[in-house]
């Protein structure tokens, strides 16, 4: 039997036992399930749910972070052309979805290149900052950097339709248009620490404006871009990232942009707690260049090379084998040699790049990373391994032998802005009404 004694807001529970009396004090809230368990009649009235004002401070900050940044996050629908198997008519069909965020008042939207990679057209749905309503707009491509998996779209009025005659300088119209966009608050990724809280907002599986939370799990990671080149200093987080989150913002606890969600490591294709984001410090440099001139100038040595996997078949275990060094290129001017054929038809291997500015180069990925922090026009010290023929004993009749010598070269980096991939969003071939 239970002995229940009420004392103000508390109830004493005293189970009686022979020769023993045990009394325990519990609150009314804790007593409710106890009464139900022991068949003590109807449960006491449940305490009311806490109001918004009673929520914990941390929850309030998270809610505020989401509400402030939601208007800056956009939903991206992409479309491709597909021929109907029966009628053979070409139709425009949905290809996929992704996320992005508003960069500035001019309506530039930043997303991943792979989100729009195969699209002929993209539609951006954003929250109008003036009315709070969702607005869908046709996007135009401003520029892409496939090597960094970054793309910039434009959804401003000037992009979708030309200004009426005589209104090109309509200041009021431009101000009204700018007021419709809510640019994201850009921060820095240089100050990130492992363990810091981060928040991801995106559209996983087509569910718009979804918030997930996690921590920075690691820094300085590396991932492959769509072109195969490495993206360095990548942020690793356990915030849930799923298909559709690509291109969305990764925010710190202050609500500032620290990265762009780009990839996950998962055998199943769904979130496994290992997600990657391109750091905002990398993002800023590329985006500003794409907005300004529509392309990115990247430093190059001016050589073509053999991939490391194929080079191993030739016995080159470390370094990057130079195939060609065009005569007017930076490397050739510095004295670098490419692979060629001898008069008797045998293959003469060219220089093998083994170091750039003191950084050891084992594969082409190491070479790209060494050049990543450079700019066109910078001078770099390149160390190459070169085969040299010498006489075994110094006599003219003796057989030549080939030894490897290391040759230092000073190379002034050139610039390359040519895209090795066709630009997406070239537009539909269908007649639009």
């Amino acid at each position: 039997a239970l002995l229940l004694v009420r004392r103000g807001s508390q109830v004493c529970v005293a189970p009686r036992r022979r020769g023993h009396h045990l009394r325990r004090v519990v609150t009314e809230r804790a007593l409710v399930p106890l009464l139900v368990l022991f068949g003590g009649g109807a449960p006491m009235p449940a305490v009311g749910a806490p109001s918004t004002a009673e929520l914990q401070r941390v929850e309030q900050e998270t809610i505020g972070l989401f509400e402030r940044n939601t208007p800056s996050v956009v939903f991206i629908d992409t479309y491709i052309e597909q021929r109907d198997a029966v009628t053979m008519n070409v139709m425009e069909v949905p290809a996929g979805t992704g996320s992005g965020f508003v960069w500035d008042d001019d309506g530039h939207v930043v997303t991943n290149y792979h989100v729009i990679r195969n699209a002929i057209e993209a539609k951006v749905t954003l929250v109008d900052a003036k009315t709070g309503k969702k607005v869908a707009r046709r996007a135009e491509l401003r520029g892409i950097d496939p090597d960094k998996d970054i793309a910039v779209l434009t959804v401003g009025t000037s992009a979708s339709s030309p200004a009426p005659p005589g209104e090109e300088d309509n200041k009021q119209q431009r101000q009204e248009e700018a007021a419709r966009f809510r640019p994201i608050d850009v921060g820095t990724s240089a100050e990130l620490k492992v363990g810091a809280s981060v928040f991801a907002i995106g559209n996983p599986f087509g569910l718009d404006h979804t918030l997930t939370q996690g921590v920075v799990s690691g820094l300085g990671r590396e991932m492959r871009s769509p072109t195969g080149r490495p993206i360095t200093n990548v942020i690793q987080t356990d915030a849930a990232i799923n298909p559709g989150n690509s291109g969305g913002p990764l925010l710190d606890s202050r609500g500032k942009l620290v990265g762009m969600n780009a990839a996950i490591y998962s055998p199943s294709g769904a979130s496994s707690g290992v997600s990657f984001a391109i750091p905002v410090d990398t993002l800023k440099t590329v985006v500003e260049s794409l907005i300004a001139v529509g392309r990115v100038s990247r430093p190059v040595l001016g050589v073509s090379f053999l991939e490391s996997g194929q080079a191993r078949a030739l016995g080159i275990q470390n370094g990057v084998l130079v195939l060609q060094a065009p005569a007017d290129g930076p490397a050739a001017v510095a004295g670098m040699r490419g692979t060629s054929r001898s008069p008797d038809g045998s293959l003469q291997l060219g220089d093998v790049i083994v170091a750039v500015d003191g950084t050891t180069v084992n594969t082409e990925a190491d070479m790209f990373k060494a050049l990543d922090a450079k700019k066109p026009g910078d001078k770099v010290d390149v160390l190459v391994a070169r085969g040299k023929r010498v006489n075994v004993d110094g006599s003219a009749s003796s057989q030549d032998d080939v030894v490897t010598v290391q040759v230092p070269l000073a190379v002034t980096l050139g610039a390359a802005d040519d895209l090795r991939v066709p630009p997406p969003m070239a537009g539909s071939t269908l007649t639009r009404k």
Side-chain angles (χ1 to χ4, degrees), residues 112-427:
N112 284 133
Y113 163 72
H114 74 259
V115 170
I116 60 163
R117 182 177 188 175
N118 300 314
I120 60 165
E121 186 174 296
K123 184 183 295 181
V124 171
T125 303
L126 66 155
V127 177
D128 191 315
K130 290 183 65 177
T131 64
K133 298 180 180 179
K134 294 181 180 179
V135 179
R137 294 189 176 188
R138 177 175 175 268
E140 290 190 358
L141 182 66
R142 177 55 185 163
I144 58 174
D145 184 4
D147 290 341
K148 297 297 182 184
D149 198 15
I150 298 171
V152 176
L153 310 179
T154 308
V155 294
T157 301
S158 59
S160 57
S161 60
E167 295 187 12
E168 291 83 357
D169 298 324
N170 191 327
K171 183 177 180 179
Q172 182 178 358
Q173 182 181 3
R174 294 200 307 272
Q175 289 177 342
E176 290 178 355
E177 178 69 12
R180 297 183 183 278
F181 302 112
R182 180 76 62 82
I184 202 158
D185 193 2
V186 179
T188 178
S189 52
E191 301 174 356
L192 280 179
K193 303 291 184 182
V194 173
S197 296
V198 286
F199 303 83
I201 303 179
N203 311 297
F205 303 109
L207 303 172
D208 63 336
H209 296 118
T210 298
L211 173 71
T212 56
Q213 181 179 1
V215 298
V216 175
S217 306
L219 296 169
R221 303 302 193 216
E222 181 180 307
M223 57 178 277
R224 293 286 177 178
S225 71
T227 62
R229 290 198 176 191
I231 304 175
T232 57
N233 298 321
V234 171
I235 303 166
Q236 179 188 335
T237 175
D238 66 347
I241 304 296
N242 289 287
N245 272 111
S246 291
L250 186 70
L251 309 170
D252 63 13
S253 57
R254 299 172 298 172
K256 292 183 177 292
L257 179 72
V258 294
M260 177 171 66
N261 301 315
I264 60 175
Y265 179 80
S266 172
S268 65
S271 177
S272 62
V274 182
S275 307
F276 302 100
I278 300 170
V280 70
D281 291 346
T282 299
L283 202 64
K284 281 189 286 190
T285 303
V286 174
V287 170
E288 289 170 359
S289 178
L290 292 177
I291 291 175
V293 296
R295 61 184 185 275
V296 174
S297 292
R298 185 153 284 111
V300 293
L301 291 171
V303 298
S304 62
F305 55 87
L306 189 66
E307 292 185 357
S308 56
Q310 296 174 314
R312 291 191 186 96
L314 297 176
I316 300 173
Q317 301 300 322
N318 298 300
V320 176
L321 174 64
V322 178
L323 292 180
Q324 290 182 331
D328 57 347
V333 172
M336 197 174 297
R337 301 176 184 176
T339 301
S340 61
R341 290 279 182 184
S342 65
D344 61 0
S346 61
L347 187 66
Q348 292 183 335
L349 298 182
D351 291 342
V352 177
I353 300 173
V354 294
V356 175
D357 264 357
T359 301
T360 301
V361 173
N362 293 317
T363 65
E364 60 271 15
D366 296 330
M367 182 178 67
F368 290 139
K369 285 189 287 185
L371 296 175
D372 206 33
K374 307 297 181 180
K375 297 179 180 179
D378 289 351
K379 290 185 178 181
V380 294
D381 295 323
V382 180
L383 187 64
V384 300
R386 178 178 297 171
K388 183 179 180 181
R389 290 185 179 276
V390 296
N391 292 334
V392 176
D393 57 6
S395 64
S397 61
S398 66
Q399 291 285 339
D400 286 345
D401 195 10
V402 178
V403 297
T404 301
V405 296
Q406 292 191 336
V407 181
L409 302 173
V411 181
T412 301
L413 297 175
D417 54 21
D418 57 316
L419 295 175
R420 294 170 306 284
V421 294
M425 295 175 58

